[in-house]
Amino acid sequence: MAIDVTNGSKPAMVDIRAALAERCLTEIDVLMLTDIKRGHTGAVRSLLQCRVVHRILLPIPSDEYESFLLEDIRQAAKEYGAEAILYSHYSENTVTFGDVKLTVPRRTFVERSLSPVTALGIEAGSTKITYAGASSWEDDYMWSFTHDADCLILGENGPTVKMPPSGNIPDGVKHLCVTGEERVGFLSDWLWGYSGTLSCTTVHRINVEG
């Protein structure tokens, strides 16, 4: 199961903890933060308190404030026996646990926004799931991660969406998930003619199994 903790807000964490309890999951192999926000310090501690977390992957901080938040997270990891590992935003990163491989692209921006574009690739056996954040289709490198996905999740994290994707839905996408019901209407022209399975979720977690 893959879970998106979003900004680490209390409503998100309530939903996430409920999802873990629902599936009787007591351990988290890898908790990976793609950025460091204030809400993440409480979110990480919340997960550490209720589940066994083996590894926490943290981006190298880009300023003094992020360094301050990072130290708080590292201290929490030490208290609960989790291994804290730093990685660089500026190169592509891959993490493997069991038969699952996570790939996080290097940090990328579009010219009109200070918010980074995000994506995440999850490979489990022969199945590839790609999470593509808001406006990821405006960056060729980031959007290339969707091209061989079996399941594509269009998320809300990233620059404000100003335009729908151009071209067709990538070949091979059998299941398309859109977060936010209002986004389906916005993408209606792009979705026209899609023959795979389309679903929509408004909950905080991105739940991928199977």
Side-chain angles (χ1 to χ4, degrees), residues 74-102:
R74 293 179 78 171
Q75 180 59 38
K78 184 177 180 180
E79 289 175 22
Y80 289 91
E83 181 184 10
I85 304 169
L86 294 181
Y87 72 92
S88 173
H89 269 315
Y90 301 102
S91 60
E92 198 169 293
N93 290 273
T94 300
V95 182
T96 301
F97 52 100
D99 62 348
V100 177
K101 182 171 77 171
L102 289 179

PDB file of all heavy atoms in Angstrom, residues 74-102:
ATOM      1  N   ARG A  74      14.643  13.926  12.682  1.00  0.00           N
ATOM      2  CA  ARG A  74      15.719  12.972  12.966  1.00  0.00           C
ATOM      3  C   ARG A  74      15.728  12.569  14.438  1.00  0.00           C
ATOM      4  O   ARG A  74      16.004  11.417  14.783  1.00  0.00           O
ATOM      5  CB  ARG A  74      17.071  13.555  12.553  1.00  0.00           C
ATOM      6  CG  ARG A  74      17.216  13.727  11.057  1.00  0.00           C
ATOM      7  CD  ARG A  74      18.539  14.335  10.676  1.00  0.00           C
ATOM      8  NE  ARG A  74      19.612  13.346  10.726  1.00  0.00           N
ATOM      9  CZ  ARG A  74      20.837  13.591  10.273  1.00  0.00           C
ATOM     10  NH1 ARG A  74      21.138  14.773   9.740  1.00  0.00           N
ATOM     11  NH2 ARG A  74      21.758  12.661  10.338  1.00  0.00           N
ATOM     12  N   GLN A  75      15.420  13.513  15.317  1.00  0.00           N
ATOM     13  CA  GLN A  75      15.361  13.206  16.735  1.00  0.00           C
ATOM     14  C   GLN A  75      14.227  12.234  17.034  1.00  0.00           C
ATOM     15  O   GLN A  75      14.373  11.286  17.803  1.00  0.00           O
ATOM     16  CB  GLN A  75      15.179  14.498  17.548  1.00  0.00           C
ATOM     17  CG  GLN A  75      15.114  14.308  19.051  1.00  0.00           C
ATOM     18  CD  GLN A  75      16.350  13.646  19.629  1.00  0.00           C
ATOM     19  OE1 GLN A  75      17.470  13.911  19.183  1.00  0.00           O
ATOM     20  NE2 GLN A  75      16.157  12.767  20.603  1.00  0.00           N
ATOM     21  N   ALA A  76      13.077  12.461  16.377  1.00  0.00           N
ATOM     22  CA  ALA A  76      11.939  11.549  16.551  1.00  0.00           C
ATOM     23  C   ALA A  76      12.289  10.156  16.045  1.00  0.00           C
ATOM     24  O   ALA A  76      11.954   9.146  16.673  1.00  0.00           O
ATOM     25  CB  ALA A  76      10.719  12.102  15.818  1.00  0.00           C
ATOM     26  N   ALA A  77      12.976  10.098  14.901  1.00  0.00           N
ATOM     27  CA  ALA A  77      13.382   8.808  14.342  1.00  0.00           C
ATOM     28  C   ALA A  77      14.299   8.064  15.321  1.00  0.00           C
ATOM     29  O   ALA A  77      14.160   6.852  15.535  1.00  0.00           O
ATOM     30  CB  ALA A  77      14.091   9.013  13.005  1.00  0.00           C
ATOM     31  N   LYS A  78      15.229   8.788  15.921  1.00  0.00           N
ATOM     32  CA  LYS A  78      16.154   8.183  16.882  1.00  0.00           C
ATOM     33  C   LYS A  78      15.407   7.634  18.093  1.00  0.00           C
ATOM     34  O   LYS A  78      15.693   6.536  18.578  1.00  0.00           O
ATOM     35  CB  LYS A  78      17.187   9.221  17.317  1.00  0.00           C
ATOM     36  CG  LYS A  78      18.267   8.681  18.236  1.00  0.00           C
ATOM     37  CD  LYS A  78      19.287   9.753  18.568  1.00  0.00           C
ATOM     38  CE  LYS A  78      20.375   9.204  19.495  1.00  0.00           C
ATOM     39  NZ  LYS A  78      21.385  10.251  19.825  1.00  0.00           N
ATOM     40  N   GLU A  79      14.421   8.403  18.577  1.00  0.00           N
ATOM     41  CA  GLU A  79      13.644   7.988  19.750  1.00  0.00           C
ATOM     42  C   GLU A  79      12.914   6.671  19.510  1.00  0.00           C
ATOM     43  O   GLU A  79      12.777   5.843  20.417  1.00  0.00           O
ATOM     44  CB  GLU A  79      12.625   9.071  20.120  1.00  0.00           C
ATOM     45  CG  GLU A  79      13.222  10.335  20.701  1.00  0.00           C
ATOM     46  CD  GLU A  79      12.174  11.396  20.929  1.00  0.00           C
ATOM     47  OE1 GLU A  79      10.970  11.033  21.041  1.00  0.00           O
ATOM     48  OE2 GLU A  79      12.520  12.586  20.984  1.00  0.00           O
ATOM     49  N   TYR A  80      12.431   6.481  18.282  1.00  0.00           N
ATOM     50  CA  TYR A  80      11.612   5.305  17.988  1.00  0.00           C
ATOM     51  C   TYR A  80      12.364   4.225  17.210  1.00  0.00           C
ATOM     52  O   TYR A  80      11.758   3.258  16.737  1.00  0.00           O
ATOM     53  CB  TYR A  80      10.351   5.731  17.234  1.00  0.00           C
ATOM     54  CG  TYR A  80       9.380   6.484  18.102  1.00  0.00           C
ATOM     55  CD1 TYR A  80       9.420   7.875  18.208  1.00  0.00           C
ATOM     56  CD2 TYR A  80       8.410   5.805  18.845  1.00  0.00           C
ATOM     57  CE1 TYR A  80       8.530   8.571  19.021  1.00  0.00           C
ATOM     58  CE2 TYR A  80       7.515   6.494  19.651  1.00  0.00           C
ATOM     59  CZ  TYR A  80       7.583   7.862  19.738  1.00  0.00           C
ATOM     60  OH  TYR A  80       6.699   8.553  20.547  1.00  0.00           O
ATOM     61  N   GLY A  81      13.655   4.392  17.038  1.00  0.00           N
ATOM     62  CA  GLY A  81      14.457   3.341  16.424  1.00  0.00           C
ATOM     63  C   GLY A  81      14.354   3.222  14.922  1.00  0.00           C
ATOM     64  O   GLY A  81      14.647   2.152  14.370  1.00  0.00           O
ATOM     65  N   ALA A  82      13.954   4.295  14.250  1.00  0.00           N
ATOM     66  CA  ALA A  82      13.878   4.275  12.783  1.00  0.00           C
ATOM     67  C   ALA A  82      15.190   4.812  12.202  1.00  0.00           C
ATOM     68  O   ALA A  82      15.798   5.724  12.760  1.00  0.00           O
ATOM     69  CB  ALA A  82      12.710   5.119  12.295  1.00  0.00           C
ATOM     70  N   GLU A  83      15.599   4.257  11.089  1.00  0.00           N
ATOM     71  CA  GLU A  83      16.816   4.719  10.421  1.00  0.00           C
ATOM     72  C   GLU A  83      16.473   5.922   9.539  1.00  0.00           C
ATOM     73  O   GLU A  83      15.594   5.848   8.682  1.00  0.00           O
ATOM     74  CB  GLU A  83      17.402   3.598   9.558  1.00  0.00           C
ATOM     75  CG  GLU A  83      18.678   3.983   8.850  1.00  0.00           C
ATOM     76  CD  GLU A  83      19.205   2.895   7.930  1.00  0.00           C
ATOM     77  OE1 GLU A  83      18.465   1.902   7.704  1.00  0.00           O
ATOM     78  OE2 GLU A  83      20.338   3.026   7.448  1.00  0.00           O
ATOM     79  N   ALA A  84      17.159   7.039   9.753  1.00  0.00           N
ATOM     80  CA  ALA A  84      16.932   8.257   8.958  1.00  0.00           C
ATOM     81  C   ALA A  84      18.026   8.368   7.898  1.00  0.00           C
ATOM     82  O   ALA A  84      19.222   8.354   8.225  1.00  0.00           O
ATOM     83  CB  ALA A  84      16.929   9.483   9.847  1.00  0.00           C
ATOM     84  N   ILE A  85      17.625   8.468   6.638  1.00  0.00           N
ATOM     85  CA  ILE A  85      18.568   8.508   5.528  1.00  0.00           C
ATOM     86  C   ILE A  85      18.322   9.776   4.708  1.00  0.00           C
ATOM     87  O   ILE A  85      17.178  10.082   4.351  1.00  0.00           O
ATOM     88  CB  ILE A  85      18.398   7.272   4.627  1.00  0.00           C
ATOM     89  CG1 ILE A  85      18.564   5.982   5.453  1.00  0.00           C
ATOM     90  CG2 ILE A  85      19.390   7.303   3.465  1.00  0.00           C
ATOM     91  CD1 ILE A  85      18.158   4.730   4.707  1.00  0.00           C
ATOM     92  N   LEU A  86      19.386  10.513   4.406  1.00  0.00           N
ATOM     93  CA  LEU A  86      19.266  11.719   3.588  1.00  0.00           C
ATOM     94  C   LEU A  86      19.477  11.391   2.118  1.00  0.00           C
ATOM     95  O   LEU A  86      20.281  10.525   1.768  1.00  0.00           O
ATOM     96  CB  LEU A  86      20.296  12.766   4.022  1.00  0.00           C
ATOM     97  CG  LEU A  86      20.141  13.377   5.421  1.00  0.00           C
ATOM     98  CD1 LEU A  86      21.238  14.405   5.666  1.00  0.00           C
ATOM     99  CD2 LEU A  86      18.777  14.014   5.593  1.00  0.00           C
ATOM    100  N   TYR A  87      18.732  12.082   1.247  1.00  0.00           N
ATOM    101  CA  TYR A  87      18.943  11.946  -0.187  1.00  0.00           C
ATOM    102  C   TYR A  87      18.882  13.314  -0.839  1.00  0.00           C
ATOM    103  O   TYR A  87      18.373  14.278  -0.263  1.00  0.00           O
ATOM    104  CB  TYR A  87      17.907  10.990  -0.808  1.00  0.00           C
ATOM    105  CG  TYR A  87      16.501  11.535  -0.889  1.00  0.00           C
ATOM    106  CD1 TYR A  87      16.062  12.208  -2.025  1.00  0.00           C
ATOM    107  CD2 TYR A  87      15.599  11.373   0.166  1.00  0.00           C
ATOM    108  CE1 TYR A  87      14.768  12.706  -2.118  1.00  0.00           C
ATOM    109  CE2 TYR A  87      14.312  11.870   0.083  1.00  0.00           C
ATOM    110  CZ  TYR A  87      13.899  12.536  -1.053  1.00  0.00           C
ATOM    111  OH  TYR A  87      12.624  13.032  -1.137  1.00  0.00           O
ATOM    112  N   SER A  88      19.405  13.411  -2.044  1.00  0.00           N
ATOM    113  CA  SER A  88      19.453  14.694  -2.748  1.00  0.00           C
ATOM    114  C   SER A  88      18.240  14.881  -3.656  1.00  0.00           C
ATOM    115  O   SER A  88      17.830  13.958  -4.361  1.00  0.00           O
ATOM    116  CB  SER A  88      20.732  14.787  -3.587  1.00  0.00           C
ATOM    117  OG  SER A  88      20.711  15.946  -4.403  1.00  0.00           O
ATOM    118  N   HIS A  89      17.702  16.097  -3.640  1.00  0.00           N
ATOM    119  CA  HIS A  89      16.603  16.460  -4.537  1.00  0.00           C
ATOM    120  C   HIS A  89      17.063  16.535  -5.991  1.00  0.00           C
ATOM    121  O   HIS A  89      16.248  16.481  -6.901  1.00  0.00           O
ATOM    122  CB  HIS A  89      16.079  17.855  -4.176  1.00  0.00           C
ATOM    123  CG  HIS A  89      14.967  17.850  -3.190  1.00  0.00           C
ATOM    124  ND1 HIS A  89      13.892  17.006  -3.257  1.00  0.00           N
ATOM    125  CD2 HIS A  89      14.744  18.626  -2.095  1.00  0.00           C
ATOM    126  CE1 HIS A  89      13.055  17.249  -2.265  1.00  0.00           C
ATOM    127  NE2 HIS A  89      13.555  18.221  -1.542  1.00  0.00           N
ATOM    128  N   TYR A  90      18.352  16.717  -6.192  1.00  0.00           N
ATOM    129  CA  TYR A  90      18.830  17.120  -7.509  1.00  0.00           C
ATOM    130  C   TYR A  90      19.323  15.952  -8.362  1.00  0.00           C
ATOM    131  O   TYR A  90      19.993  16.151  -9.369  1.00  0.00           O
ATOM    132  CB  TYR A  90      19.915  18.190  -7.343  1.00  0.00           C
ATOM    133  CG  TYR A  90      19.359  19.386  -6.605  1.00  0.00           C
ATOM    134  CD1 TYR A  90      19.636  19.589  -5.265  1.00  0.00           C
ATOM    135  CD2 TYR A  90      18.482  20.266  -7.241  1.00  0.00           C
ATOM    136  CE1 TYR A  90      19.086  20.661  -4.574  1.00  0.00           C
ATOM    137  CE2 TYR A  90      17.921  21.333  -6.565  1.00  0.00           C
ATOM    138  CZ  TYR A  90      18.221  21.524  -5.225  1.00  0.00           C
ATOM    139  OH  TYR A  90      17.660  22.577  -4.549  1.00  0.00           O
ATOM    140  N   SER A  91      18.995  14.747  -7.925  1.00  0.00           N
ATOM    141  CA  SER A  91      19.267  13.567  -8.740  1.00  0.00           C
ATOM    142  C   SER A  91      18.095  12.602  -8.579  1.00  0.00           C
ATOM    143  O   SER A  91      17.328  12.705  -7.626  1.00  0.00           O
ATOM    144  CB  SER A  91      20.571  12.888  -8.299  1.00  0.00           C
ATOM    145  OG  SER A  91      20.488  12.473  -6.942  1.00  0.00           O
ATOM    146  N   GLU A  92      17.957  11.699  -9.520  1.00  0.00           N
ATOM    147  CA  GLU A  92      16.884  10.708  -9.450  1.00  0.00           C
ATOM    148  C   GLU A  92      17.228   9.678  -8.373  1.00  0.00           C
ATOM    149  O   GLU A  92      18.374   9.228  -8.274  1.00  0.00           O
ATOM    150  CB  GLU A  92      16.757  10.037 -10.810  1.00  0.00           C
ATOM    151  CG  GLU A  92      15.462   9.314 -11.041  1.00  0.00           C
ATOM    152  CD  GLU A  92      15.322   8.913 -12.500  1.00  0.00           C
ATOM    153  OE1 GLU A  92      15.184   9.813 -13.344  1.00  0.00           O
ATOM    154  OE2 GLU A  92      15.371   7.707 -12.800  1.00  0.00           O
ATOM    155  N   ASN A  93      16.252   9.328  -7.539  1.00  0.00           N
ATOM    156  CA  ASN A  93      16.515   8.419  -6.431  1.00  0.00           C
ATOM    157  C   ASN A  93      15.633   7.184  -6.522  1.00  0.00           C
ATOM    158  O   ASN A  93      14.442   7.284  -6.824  1.00  0.00           O
ATOM    159  CB  ASN A  93      16.248   9.124  -5.099  1.00  0.00           C
ATOM    160  CG  ASN A  93      17.276  10.188  -4.786  1.00  0.00           C
ATOM    161  OD1 ASN A  93      18.317   9.906  -4.209  1.00  0.00           O
ATOM    162  ND2 ASN A  93      16.996  11.429  -5.196  1.00  0.00           N
ATOM    163  N   THR A  94      16.217   6.030  -6.234  1.00  0.00           N
ATOM    164  CA  THR A  94      15.488   4.765  -6.250  1.00  0.00           C
ATOM    165  C   THR A  94      15.687   4.040  -4.924  1.00  0.00           C
ATOM    166  O   THR A  94      16.803   3.969  -4.413  1.00  0.00           O
ATOM    167  CB  THR A  94      15.961   3.864  -7.399  1.00  0.00           C
ATOM    168  OG1 THR A  94      15.738   4.523  -8.639  1.00  0.00           O
ATOM    169  CG2 THR A  94      15.199   2.544  -7.397  1.00  0.00           C
ATOM    170  N   VAL A  95      14.599   3.539  -4.369  1.00  0.00           N
ATOM    171  CA  VAL A  95      14.633   2.786  -3.120  1.00  0.00           C
ATOM    172  C   VAL A  95      13.933   1.453  -3.363  1.00  0.00           C
ATOM    173  O   VAL A  95      12.847   1.414  -3.935  1.00  0.00           O
ATOM    174  CB  VAL A  95      13.908   3.542  -1.984  1.00  0.00           C
ATOM    175  CG1 VAL A  95      14.006   2.768  -0.688  1.00  0.00           C
ATOM    176  CG2 VAL A  95      14.479   4.938  -1.817  1.00  0.00           C
ATOM    177  N   THR A  96      14.553   0.363  -2.924  1.00  0.00           N
ATOM    178  CA  THR A  96      13.962  -0.964  -3.100  1.00  0.00           C
ATOM    179  C   THR A  96      13.722  -1.604  -1.745  1.00  0.00           C
ATOM    180  O   THR A  96      14.585  -1.548  -0.861  1.00  0.00           O
ATOM    181  CB  THR A  96      14.889  -1.869  -3.922  1.00  0.00           C
ATOM    182  OG1 THR A  96      15.118  -1.259  -5.195  1.00  0.00           O
ATOM    183  CG2 THR A  96      14.266  -3.240  -4.136  1.00  0.00           C
ATOM    184  N   PHE A  97      12.533  -2.165  -1.549  1.00  0.00           N
ATOM    185  CA  PHE A  97      12.254  -2.954  -0.354  1.00  0.00           C
ATOM    186  C   PHE A  97      11.349  -4.107  -0.756  1.00  0.00           C
ATOM    187  O   PHE A  97      10.301  -3.919  -1.359  1.00  0.00           O
ATOM    188  CB  PHE A  97      11.631  -2.105   0.766  1.00  0.00           C
ATOM    189  CG  PHE A  97      10.442  -1.300   0.372  1.00  0.00           C
ATOM    190  CD1 PHE A  97       9.164  -1.739   0.654  1.00  0.00           C
ATOM    191  CD2 PHE A  97      10.588  -0.088  -0.299  1.00  0.00           C
ATOM    192  CE1 PHE A  97       8.051  -0.999   0.285  1.00  0.00           C
ATOM    193  CE2 PHE A  97       9.479   0.660  -0.667  1.00  0.00           C
ATOM    194  CZ  PHE A  97       8.209   0.204  -0.376  1.00  0.00           C
ATOM    195  N   GLY A  98      11.809  -5.338  -0.471  1.00  0.00           N
ATOM    196  CA  GLY A  98      11.083  -6.506  -0.954  1.00  0.00           C
ATOM    197  C   GLY A  98      11.082  -6.511  -2.474  1.00  0.00           C
ATOM    198  O   GLY A  98      12.115  -6.294  -3.108  1.00  0.00           O
ATOM    199  N   ASP A  99       9.920  -6.724  -3.070  1.00  0.00           N
ATOM    200  CA  ASP A  99       9.822  -6.717  -4.530  1.00  0.00           C
ATOM    201  C   ASP A  99       9.249  -5.399  -5.047  1.00  0.00           C
ATOM    202  O   ASP A  99       8.777  -5.311  -6.185  1.00  0.00           O
ATOM    203  CB  ASP A  99       8.966  -7.893  -5.020  1.00  0.00           C
ATOM    204  CG  ASP A  99       7.530  -7.826  -4.512  1.00  0.00           C
ATOM    205  OD1 ASP A  99       7.262  -6.998  -3.609  1.00  0.00           O
ATOM    206  OD2 ASP A  99       6.682  -8.591  -5.007  1.00  0.00           O
ATOM    207  N   VAL A 100       9.309  -4.370  -4.210  1.00  0.00           N
ATOM    208  CA  VAL A 100       8.776  -3.052  -4.584  1.00  0.00           C
ATOM    209  C   VAL A 100       9.923  -2.070  -4.788  1.00  0.00           C
ATOM    210  O   VAL A 100      10.874  -2.033  -3.993  1.00  0.00           O
ATOM    211  CB  VAL A 100       7.820  -2.507  -3.499  1.00  0.00           C
ATOM    212  CG1 VAL A 100       7.331  -1.107  -3.863  1.00  0.00           C
ATOM    213  CG2 VAL A 100       6.633  -3.455  -3.318  1.00  0.00           C
ATOM    214  N   LYS A 101       9.839  -1.282  -5.853  1.00  0.00           N
ATOM    215  CA  LYS A 101      10.845  -0.258  -6.125  1.00  0.00           C
ATOM    216  C   LYS A 101      10.172   1.111  -6.233  1.00  0.00           C
ATOM    217  O   LYS A 101       9.209   1.279  -6.980  1.00  0.00           O
ATOM    218  CB  LYS A 101      11.600  -0.570  -7.422  1.00  0.00           C
ATOM    219  CG  LYS A 101      12.709   0.444  -7.724  1.00  0.00           C
ATOM    220  CD  LYS A 101      13.581   0.000  -8.882  1.00  0.00           C
ATOM    221  CE  LYS A 101      12.911   0.210 -10.214  1.00  0.00           C
ATOM    222  NZ  LYS A 101      13.823  -0.021 -11.355  1.00  0.00           N
ATOM    223  N   LEU A 102      10.678   2.072  -5.462  1.00  0.00           N
ATOM    224  CA  LEU A 102      10.188   3.449  -5.521  1.00  0.00           C
ATOM    225  C   LEU A 102      11.203   4.290  -6.282  1.00  0.00           C
ATOM    226  O   LEU A 102      12.405   4.209  -6.019  1.00  0.00           O
ATOM    227  CB  LEU A 102      10.040   4.051  -4.120  1.00  0.00           C
ATOM    228  CG  LEU A 102       8.935   3.564  -3.201  1.00  0.00           C
ATOM    229  CD1 LEU A 102       9.022   4.292  -1.869  1.00  0.00           C
ATOM    230  CD2 LEU A 102       7.576   3.790  -3.831  1.00  0.00           C
TER     231      LEU A 102
END
